[in-house]
Amino acid sequence: MFATDTGAARRNFLQHAMRISLFMRHGGALVVYVVVLVSTPRISVAGILFAGLAGAWSLYRLLTRSATPRIIAIDYAVTLAACLVLPIAASDEQVCPSTCAPIAIAGTAIASFTVFDPLLNLAMTAGVVTALAAGAAAFDGVRDPGQWVNVYYFALLWVASTLIRMLTVRVAEKVDVARAGRLAVELRQKVTAAVRDYDREQMRLLHDTVASTLLMVGTGAALSPDRVAAQARRDLRVFSEASRSPAPPADLVAALRDHASHTTTPVNYAGVTAMWLDGAMAATVAAAAREALTNVDRHSGATAVTITVYPGRIQITDDGHGFDLTRPTRGHGIADSIVARMQQLGGMAEIVTQPGQGTTVELRWPTVTSGGPAAASDPERLIERAHKGYGLALVAYGLVNLLVTVPASLRVAAYPHLQWALIVVTTVATLSAIPRVMGRIFPRARFGIVTLVIVALVQSISMPIKDLDPQLQWAEGAIGWCVLPLLLSVRLRYAVGVLAWCWVVPAVYAIIRDPAAHTIVDLGYDTASVLVAQLCALVVADVIRRSAAATSAETESHMRLTAAAQIADAVQEEYTRRYADLAATIQPLLTSLADGEPVDAETRRRAQLEYQRLRTLFDQSSSFEHVLLRELRPRVDAAQNRGIAVSVDVQGALPAMDVPTARRLARLVDQVLLAAASPARITVTAETAAVELSVMCHRGRHADLPTKSSVDDEDEFDLTTLDDTVWITVRHRLPERSTEHVRAGQPT
C-alpha cells in the first residue's frame, strides 16, 4: 500500500502562504514605523523608542522569515503593543489622528492572521481589535469617527482573505485525497510491471547465458575447459543477482568487449572507443549485442565479426552464411533477447541477412532524453481549480470594495458625471477579467489593464485640491483591487509594475498639488495598509503555482522511494518463488564447470536435463504473456501461497481475448482453487473457435464449487466430482472476429 502524506498539497500551500502573510504583516508595519519616526513632530521619547525597536523587529523578520510558534507569538505581542502604545506615544492630531498608525498596523496584521487555523485566527483577530479599541480609548480617539471608517476596509479584507484561504485549502485537501488514491493505483501498476519486466529479463538472461552454456556442454561441443569455466563463472552471476538496483553509468564499449571475450569467433572493433550511457541502458544494449554474438558463434559459421559503435547505434556484422528471415524459428533469441530488449528502451533492432551473404544486426536506442525532471505537473488540476476560485473571489472583492469606497468622493466631486462614468468603466473593466479567469483567450487582459491605469490617472486629476484626502481618492484604494484579477494571467514583474503605477501616480500627483505633512503621512499609512495587501494578494497566485509544483515534486520523490522499496521486495519474492528451486539444481552444475572439472558423460546428461527444464520454462513464460494467463497468474500465486501446488499447461496458440472475458474465466478458476485441498492442475487448450479451460483438484470438506450460473449462457460448463476429486471444464466460444489465432507470446 502506498503510504503517501495525505496532507502534502495543504501543507505546501500553507507553508508558502505563511511567507506571504509575514511580508504583509511586517512589510506594512515597517512602512508605518518609518512614517511615525519621520513625519510625527510631537512624538514622545517612548514613541521613538517603541517605533525604532518595532521597526527593527519587522526588518529582522523580513530578512529571516522564520515561522516558529515562538517567533509568531512575539509578532503577535508586538502588534498588540503597537495598538496600545502608538495612540498615546506617537500622536499628532495636526498631522494625523491618533488611530492612523495603529489602524494601519492592525489591518495588515488581521489580514495576515487568516493563514492560521480558523479558531486561532478568530482569537488573534479578537485580541488585536480589543487592543486597538483600548489604545484609542486611552487617548480618547474613539471620538474621531472619520478614522474608524477605515475599519470597514480591514473587515472586508479579513472576510475576503478568510474565504480565499478556506477555498484554496479545501481544494488542496481534495487534491490530497485524489492523489493518494491515484498514486496507490499507479504504485500497484509499477510493481506489477516491474515484476513482469524482471521475469522477462530473467528469462532473457537465462536464455542468453545459462541455457547457451548448458546446450554447448550437453551436445558435446568441442570447447576448451578454460572457456567452459569462464562461461560458467559468468552464468553463476545470473543467480547471485536476484534483484536489480539502479546501475551506475557504464561504458558500453567495455561491456561489449567483455561479452565478446566469451565468443570463439574473432571480433574486430570500429567506431568510437568509449561510450558512457546510463547504467540500465548500457546493460540492455550490451545484453542484446551479447545474444547477437552468441548467434554468430552458434549458427553463422563466420570467420570474423565486426562491431562498429556509433552514437546511438551499433552494428554487428559477420561474414557467415546468413539465413532466411522469413522462416519461423522455435527459439526465443531474436524476438525476445534482441528485438524486445531494444523496444523496451524505445529503440529498435534491424537485422539484414540473406542466405550466403552474412548478417548485419543494427541496434538503435534513443539518444535524447527528457533532460532531467520535467516541470512539475498540475496534479488533479490543482492550479486550474484554485486559480479559478481565487480569480473570481478577487473580482467579487474588487467590485464590493469599489461600491463601498466611491460614495464619499461622489459627494464632493467637482465633476460627478465624470466620476460616475469612471465608476462604470472600472466596473466593466473588472468584469472583463471573468472570461480570462475561466480560461478564455478573449478579451485580452491588456485592454482592461490599460483602461484601469488610465482611470486611476483621470480620477486623481479630476478631484479638487481641497479634496485630495486619500479617503476620497478612490482610485488609490479601489483600482488596484479591480486590476488584480486581470494581472493573474501576466508575468509577475509586469503585474507588480501595473499595481505600482496605479498607486504611485495618484500619490505623486496628490503630493505635488498638496505637499502638506498630512498628505504624506496619509499616503504612507495607506501604502502600508492597501498597497502591501494588494501586492500580497497578487503574489498568492504565484504561491498556488509554487505550492502545487512543490507538492508534485515531493509526492513524486516519495513515490519513487516507496516504489523502489516495494519493487525490490516484490522482485526478491518473485525470484525466491520462481528461480530459487531452479538455481538449487543448476548452480552446483555450473560451479563444477567453473572449477574446470572435465565434462564427462554424466555432466553432459545433467546439462541436457537442465537445458530441457529451461526450454520448458521459456515456453511457459512466453504463454503467460496472454491476457488469460496474466489474469490467472495472481490467482495461481495466491493458491501457492496457501500451500496448494498448482501446475499450468497451455496447449496450442491461444487466440486473442478481451480483458473482461479473461477476468471472468479467471474468477471461475479462483473459485475452484479456493476449494482445493491438494495440488491442482490447470489446462488451457486453444481450439479453432473456442478456448477450453479445465481445472482438476481434490477439494476440502464443505467447499463451495462454481455452478453453471457462474458462466455465460453461451459457455459450455461441465462439473464432475468423484469422491473428493473435482474436475471442472469451461469451453468459451469466441466471436467470429476473434477466431484468428495469434502467437501466444504476443500481448493482446
Side-chain angles (χ1 to χ4, degrees), residues 421-437:
L422 294 176
I423 293 169
V424 171
V425 170
T426 301
T427 303
V428 173
T430 305
L431 291 173
S432 71
I434 294 179
R436 297 286 301 177
V437 169

Side-chain angles (χ1 to χ4, degrees), residues 145-197:
Q147 286 301 314
W148 286 99
V149 172
N150 290 328
V151 175
Y152 94 88
Y153 175 81
F154 302 120
L156 188 61
L157 185 60
W158 178 84
V159 171
S161 301
T162 301
L163 291 176
I164 289 173
R165 190 255 189 203
M166 292 174 58
L167 169 69
T168 310
V169 168
R170 179 169 297 182
V171 171
E173 289 172 345
K174 290 182 178 179
V175 166
D176 282 324
V177 174
R179 181 187 290 114
R182 174 176 62 82
L183 292 182
V185 173
E186 288 183 4
L187 180 61
R188 289 194 294 270
Q189 293 174 344
K190 282 179 178 289
V191 173
T192 301
V195 171
R196 188 182 304 163
D197 289 343

Side-chain angles (χ1 to χ4, degrees), residues 298-555:
R298 289 169 54 183
H299 307 298
S300 72
T303 60
V305 59
T306 300
I307 301 177
T308 308
V309 183
Y310 305 96
R313 65 188 177 98
I314 60 175
Q315 284 183 342
I316 302 172
T317 304
D318 66 69
D319 59 358
H321 49 64
F323 62 96
D324 186 357
L325 276 172
T326 63
R327 294 183 59 185
T329 60
R330 180 176 177 269
H332 301 266
I334 293 178
D336 294 341
S337 295
I338 299 179
V339 176
R341 274 192 172 117
M342 299 310 297
Q343 289 176 345
Q344 179 181 331
L345 289 178
M348 62 174 294
E350 184 177 356
I351 301 173
V352 179
T353 183
Q354 289 183 7
Q357 297 187 12
T359 302
T360 297
V361 177
E362 182 167 314
L363 308 178
R364 300 178 184 175
W365 61 93
T367 57
V368 179
T369 62
S370 59
S377 60
D378 182 8
E380 287 73 43
R381 302 168 70 92
L382 169 60
I383 295 177
E384 179 182 343
R385 293 165 63 189
H387 264 234
K388 284 182 180 179
Y390 183 63
L392 293 176
L394 286 181
V395 171
Y397 179 78
L399 293 176
V400 171
N401 186 65
L402 179 68
L403 294 176
V404 175
T405 305
V406 297
S409 65
L410 289 175
R411 290 193 297 267
V412 299
Y415 309 100
H417 295 294
L418 176 60
Q419 296 296 315
W420 273 111
L422 294 176
I423 293 169
V424 171
V425 170
T426 301
T427 303
V428 173
T430 305
L431 291 173
S432 71
I434 294 179
R436 297 286 301 177
V437 169
M438 301 306 294
R440 305 288 178 82
I441 299 178
F442 296 100
R444 297 286 186 183
R446 70 184 67 168
F447 298 126
I449 294 172
V450 171
T451 299
L452 291 175
V453 168
I454 295 173
V455 168
L457 181 60
V458 173
Q459 199 273 335
S460 300
I461 296 175
S462 66
M463 293 296 292
I465 192 169
K466 64 182 181 63
D467 296 315
L468 290 181
D469 190 315
Q471 294 181 25
L472 303 181
Q473 290 274 31
W474 59 264
E476 292 181 2
I479 293 297
W481 291 112
C482 292
V483 79
L484 262 177
L486 293 163
L487 297 176
L488 298 182
S489 58
V490 302
R491 293 192 303 271
L492 184 61
R493 292 182 179 179
Y494 174 72
V496 171
V498 171
L499 274 183
W501 169 274
C502 292
W503 182 264
V504 171
V505 169
V508 170
Y509 186 75
I511 293 174
I512 292 175
R513 296 183 64 186
D514 184 15
H518 72 86
T519 302
I520 298 175
V521 171
D522 282 342
L523 288 172
Y525 289 157
D526 285 348
T527 299
S529 57
V530 179
L531 180 59
V532 170
Q534 291 174 352
L535 290 173
C536 291
L538 177 63
V539 177
V540 165
D542 188 61
V543 163
I544 294 175
R545 294 190 185 94
R546 290 177 178 272
S547 63
T551 299
S552 179
E554 175 186 336
T555 304

